[in-house]
Amino acid sequence: MARQGSGAMLASGGLGFPPQNLARVVVWEWLNEHGRWRPYSAAVCHHIENVLKEDARGSVVLGQVDVQLAPYVIDLQSMHQFRQDTGTMRPVRRNFYDPSSAPGKGIVWEWENDNSSWTPYDMDICITIQNAYEKQHPWLDLSSLGFCYLIYFSSMSQMNRQTQRKRRLRRRMDLAYPLTMGSIPKSQSWPVGTSTGTPCSCPQCLLVNSTRAASNAILASQRRKLYPGAVRQSSTFAGAALWPAGTGTAAVAGGTAKGEGLRVPGGAFASSQSVPGGAPLPGLNDLNQPGTQRGAGLGARATVPPGVPALPVKNLNGTGPVHPALAGMMGILMCAAGLPVCLTRAPKPILHPPPVSKSDIKPVPGVNGICRKTKKKHLKKSKTPEDVVRRYIQKVKNPPDEDCTICMERLVTSSGYEGVLSQRGIKPELVGKLGKCGHMYHLLCLLAMYNNGNKDGSLQCPTCKAIYGEKTGTQPPGKMEFHLIPHSLPGYTDSKTIRIVYDIPTGIQGPEHPNPGKKFTARGFPRHCYLPDNEKGRKVLKLLIVAWDRRLIFTIGTSNTTGESDTVVWNEIHHKTEFGSNLTGHGYPDPNYLDNVLAELLAQGVSEATLKD
């Protein structure tokens, strides 16, 4: 197996920038929601480097070089990428590699994703693959880099060692990444006073630098707990330290994780902090520190002085009291003004229960079976649309002079669908009244509404949402499992827990979906959900099983979280996916949840009366 090339493990001199008269390839990278550093393209990196030469404290508008990145701006002073339309902020770093490595040659390795488009590998992986390719190795095992994949060069494929799933990969030539020589100019290494690394002694820089050192020490201590023996140094700038994935992140790094607050220390920390063994804390010039360099022994813990004010930014995913864009801009403005941004650790959500053995998993009392499957929908062809509409309405001979809320024409005039939709036996001026709720519409309008819907033999009043018949949805085929586990939910300490597991694979959209014949994705499956094992919890489970059978739990649409279209999304019936906490709003304790989900099920036509049928 090929080892990682020298371009991924560079020794640095001084504060982390390249030694004098030694060329290095510069790659700018951003931190995604999984804690992975993703490289910008070579063209974008050239653009960032050009702006950096002009103004090391300025901003880089990425849309000037890549139209797909139009919403994004990089703030060079805080070393964060800012999305202008949502306020989401992500850390960025400036990384160095050997000129003979893949980025120096303009070689990009990519894998084919579920959308049949190509995604570049992380730069360290790209370099490793290229090294093995150049040495003519027949295959490459990526487990040493923390990935359970095998690369086969003969078939140009990647295989998951656990699932045996294969994906295509390709090697393509692109623009080479920019080169840099020796140490960077003074203007690019703010707030360092000289190119030799002597810190500036002005009060503002002393305050910023000391706070940055304290933040990095807290970060190093936390990482040491999670990754003993191998700690990746922070590559952020201006004190914005990064938390590993799943442990929370800075309040100024919003959108992908949760921060607990922004603190503005009233006094500076000691400006020369060290760790046991004399190992210095990460250098002040983190803008130029190779992100792939590993360090050990960074275990010092710095404390925040008492009486430090904290802004109530609970998180930056839109559920806290401060809007993400406001919180993100606050972080940028504080850095620009020379104020330190001191980070606090966010609590970690408890998404799953402790491990449970198979012998401890039991059926839910009073509920038949442990699994339900749904198949492709079979449309009911016994009734025509006209028969369905006539079944639920009563004709009105003398309609009132008011609007039909479907076509917005007066009920005493013809339907707005006259000439657009024509059906035998249904005249455009005919008006009908729905039996249960009494709302009135043109018959032709109700027919148009039915034809535009799921055509499942049911009608739903557009005014009061009353359902006539049995409503079904457009949920793709999948499997629902449910069982009892011997653990308690917060707020239900006297009860065991009902665990529901939904699993829906990717597939092709049917005629009832937004884009028939097109592939849809299914992200995050299997999805685990939780209910208390009490009388009301079991009732909710029974109704959820009915909703599953009617294909009402999920649908295909656009994700509110990622913005991805043609993907499986929840369908207005909320579930609790956080087992032991409620940091995301999708967990316990929540005393009103069971009543709320019963109301949501009722709105879909799934009621307790259904269980008696």
Side-chain angles (χ1 to χ4, degrees):
M1 187 193 80
R3 294 184 177 274
Q4 191 172 359
S6 61
M9 298 289 291
L10 295 176
S12 62
L15 294 173
F17 45 76
Q20 293 284 351
N21 302 322
L22 185 60
R24 288 292 180 260
V25 174
V26 178
V27 178
W28 285 81
E29 300 166 320
W30 56 277
L31 189 69
N32 69 8
E33 61 271 21
H34 305 296
R36 303 261 301 280
W37 288 100
R38 305 289 296 132
Y40 291 101
S41 68
V44 171
C45 290
H46 277 279
H47 178 60
I48 299 174
E49 286 292 301
N50 290 335
V51 175
L52 182 65
K53 293 175 183 178
E54 298 295 330
D55 184 4
R57 306 190 192 189
S59 298
V60 184
V61 181
L62 301 186
Q64 293 178 349
V65 67
D66 188 342
V67 293
Q68 294 183 342
L69 301 181
Y72 299 99
V73 175
I74 291 179
D75 179 69
L76 294 175
Q77 186 164 343
S78 65
M79 289 294 282
H80 277 81
Q81 170 190 278
F82 178 67
R83 179 162 180 164
Q84 300 174 80
D85 53 350
T86 64
T88 301
M89 298 188 70
R90 299 180 186 272
V92 300
R93 71 181 184 184
R94 186 176 186 241
N95 218 348
F96 296 106
Y97 298 94
D98 194 284
S100 63
S101 61
K105 298 176 181 178
I107 297 173
V108 180
W109 285 87
E110 300 172 321
W111 55 275
E112 188 177 29
N113 58 35
D114 292 335
N115 295 325
S116 299
S117 56
W118 295 91
T119 302
Y121 285 95
D122 297 351
M123 192 55 68
D124 287 355
I125 300 176
C126 178
I127 291 174
T128 303
I129 295 175
Q130 177 61 22
N131 287 344
Y133 179 82
E134 291 177 350
K135 295 176 182 178
Q136 298 183 350
H137 288 278
W139 56 273
L140 172 65
D141 188 348
L142 296 179
S143 59
S144 62
L145 297 179
F147 300 94
C148 58
Y149 296 111
L150 290 172
I151 302 295
Y152 294 100
F153 293 108
S154 58
S155 60
M156 289 297 281
S157 63
Q158 164 194 286
M159 186 184 75
N160 188 312
R161 301 179 65 177
Q162 295 179 351
T163 66
Q164 303 299 306
R165 180 180 181 182
K166 288 188 176 181
R167 296 179 184 270
R168 291 194 301 162
L169 68 120
R170 71 178 184 182
R171 174 182 181 267
R172 67 177 180 87
M173 298 301 298
D174 197 359
L175 180 68
Y177 280 81
L179 283 172
T180 185
M181 290 289 295
S183 60
I184 61 172
K186 175 181 177 181
S187 61
Q188 297 179 27
S189 55
W190 182 89
V192 176
T194 68
S195 60
T196 60
T198 305
C200 175
S201 59
C202 74
Q204 174 179 314
C205 289
L206 285 176
L207 184 61
V208 173
N209 296 339
S210 59
T211 305
R212 179 188 305 129
S215 299
N216 286 339
I218 297 172
L219 169 67
S221 175
Q222 191 62 33
R223 283 179 173 167
R224 187 178 57 135
K225 294 179 181 178
L226 296 175
Y227 310 105
V231 180
R232 182 181 294 273
Q233 294 185 5
S234 171
S235 297
T236 58
F237 187 55
L242 309 179
W243 292 100
T247 64
T249 187
V252 297
T256 60
K258 301 176 181 63
E260 185 176 317
L262 289 173
R263 293 192 175 183
V264 185
F269 294 93
S271 59
S272 58
Q273 299 195 26
S274 60
V275 295
L281 286 168
L284 301 179
N285 190 14
D286 285 342
L287 174 62
N288 305 283
Q289 179 176 341
T292 51
Q293 181 183 359
R294 294 185 179 271
L298 296 177
R301 177 179 297 273
T303 58
V304 179
V308 172
L311 300 174
V313 183
K314 295 299 183 185
N315 56 50
L316 292 173
N317 62 0
T319 61
V322 178
H323 190 276
L326 177 60
M329 289 305 299
M330 184 184 302
I332 287 182
L333 292 173
M334 289 172 67
C335 284
L339 296 173
V341 178
C342 186
L343 313 178
T344 58
R345 182 188 176 189
K348 183 179 180 180
I350 303 172
L351 300 178
H352 302 290
V356 180
S357 64
K358 290 185 177 180
S359 60
D360 290 332
I361 296 176
K362 307 294 182 182
V364 180
V367 179
N368 295 327
I370 59 171
C371 179
R372 301 295 277 255
K373 294 183 179 180
T374 57
K375 299 180 180 180
K376 290 185 177 181
K377 179 181 177 182
H378 298 285
L379 297 176
K380 299 177 181 179
K381 299 182 179 180
S382 58
K383 295 185 180 294
T384 65
E386 294 87 345
D387 292 335
V388 173
V389 171
R390 291 181 185 278
R391 178 182 179 183
Y392 301 117
I393 61 99
Q394 303 168 0
K395 288 185 179 180
V396 178
K397 293 184 179 180
N398 299 307
D401 187 14
E402 58 186 42
D403 287 340
C404 169
T405 55
I406 297 178
C407 70
M408 300 312 295
E409 298 289 345
R410 309 297 287 181
L411 290 173
V412 294
T413 63
S414 297
S415 166
Y417 285 91
E418 181 182 14
V420 178
L421 183 67
S422 61
Q423 296 290 331
R424 291 182 180 180
I426 298 183
K427 298 179 180 179
E429 63 271 13
L430 288 179
V431 173
K433 179 175 70 173
L434 290 171
K436 289 190 294 185
C437 63
H439 291 110
M440 289 181 280
Y441 308 94
H442 293 111
L443 266 65
L444 203 58
C445 293
L446 287 172
L447 186 62
M449 182 184 72
Y450 180 81
N451 284 332
N452 196 44
N454 205 21
K455 300 179 184 177
D456 58 358
S458 69
L459 273 182
Q460 186 166 13
C461 176
T463 301
C464 66
K465 307 303 179 184
I467 296 173
Y468 296 81
E470 183 180 295
K471 179 182 178 181
T472 61
T474 60
Q475 176 180 289
K479 181 173 66 173
M480 173 188 185
E481 296 179 355
F482 39 89
H483 48 251
L484 208 60
I485 59 176
H487 298 291
S488 299
L489 294 166
Y492 297 94
T493 55
D494 297 332
S495 304
K496 294 182 180 179
T497 297
I498 299 169
R499 178 166 61 185
I500 306 170
V501 182
Y502 296 111
D503 197 5
I504 295 178
T506 58
I508 304 299
Q509 299 183 50
E512 71 273 25
H513 294 137
N515 297 295
K518 185 178 180 181
K519 186 177 180 179
F520 68 84
T521 59
R523 310 290 187 192
F525 287 93
R527 299 187 185 183
H528 293 225
C529 309
Y530 305 96
L531 292 169
D533 180 37
N534 55 25
E535 182 179 356
K536 187 175 287 188
R538 289 190 288 271
K539 180 195 301 182
V540 169
L541 173 62
K542 293 176 182 178
L543 294 176
L544 287 174
I545 293 172
V546 174
W548 173 266
D549 291 339
R550 295 183 183 179
R551 305 174 71 208
L552 295 168
I553 301 292
F554 296 96
T555 187
I556 294 178
T558 300
S559 169
N560 290 329
T561 305
T562 65
E564 181 182 10
S565 59
D566 298 305
T567 191
V568 179
V569 296
W570 294 105
N571 187 36
E572 300 181 0
I573 301 175
H574 285 81
H575 286 64
K576 292 296 187 181
T577 56
E578 191 176 345
F579 174 80
S581 55
N582 195 18
L583 300 179
T584 64
H586 302 299
Y588 296 93
D590 186 347
N592 299 319
Y593 169 67
L594 296 178
D595 291 328
N596 291 340
V597 75
L598 285 172
E600 291 172 343
L601 286 162
L602 181 60
Q604 298 286 347
V606 182
S607 64
E608 295 182 50
T610 308
L611 303 177
K612 300 175 183 179
D613 295 341

